[in-house]
Amino acid sequence: MYELQMVETRLESGTSVLHSIEQRLTSTGGITQAQAELDSLRAKQESVRTRLRKLEADAEDATAKVSKLTATLYGGGIHDSREMASLEIEISHAKNRQSAIEDEEITLMEQLETLESGEAERARMLAELQAKRGDLIPELLAQRTQLSEMVDALTKERETAAGRLGPARLAMYTRLKARYGHAVSLVEGGMCHWCRVQIPSSDVQHARGDTLTNCPNCGRILFTE
Ligand SMILES: [Zn+2]
């Protein structure tokens, strides 16, 4: 029984490590997130560039308008002072528009610079993550193969140990294991290893023989070496 318990303990820890390796193999380790961030930075850059192209066209229009109005004003064709004053106002509006466009262009260029350096940084991070994962995968696959073999071997060992017990003892083992997690407890220095209670020497004698003896305190089956 003690042998079965030891095999099962090793089998359980092997299975759980194998499971965590499977999880690491399927998880992308931040790559998906880094890629999404990179995509979003690129999309933002694209919209800033689109806006800048629109502003360039607007700036050309504004410049043309200022030139045209200035030419009219100083062309010598206008003599009415009210008409001149109204033209001057129009020119001043067009110039204001020009400088507003320039201001927005400067702001957007700065944004674009920030976005571009962010993109370079993220792209570098992503490449690093991908390289790391590229190195990790073969390692994990090798570990998985090794562990699968170990788990298979332990499963066979477990079957053999369970078969040796016979149905009655196996049923008892299974029941106690389900209740306590561990069915068997080693007697060490006359004490139950699990609950640290002194075992009467008559019980230790029984356990040493082939009689199934339970710890009077925790109920686990006592095993003596
Ligand atoms: Zn006990």
Side-chain angles (χ1 to χ4, degrees), residues 16 22 40 52 55 65 89 99 104 106 139 190 206 223:
S16 112
E22 300 280 5
S40 140
L52 274 170
L55 285 174
K65 192 171 180 187
I89 289 171
S99 76
E104 194 184 343
I106 289 167
E139 220 175 278
H206 281 141
F223 174 80

Side-chain angles (χ1 to χ4, degrees), residues 27 46 62 79 82 87 90 106 122 138 170 189 193 208 221:
S27 91
E46 197 40 54
H79 304 291
R82 273 193 307 182
L87 257 178
E90 254 192 278
I106 289 167
R122 287 288 144 69
L170 184 60
H193 174 80
R208 201 159 277 152
I221 300 159

Side-chain angles (χ1 to χ4, degrees), residues 185 192-197 199 215-220 222:
S185 180
C192 169
H193 174 80
W194 275 99
C195 68
R196 294 283 160 206
V197 149
I199 307 296
C215 167
N217 183 53
C218 72
R220 290 184 175 86
L222 296 172

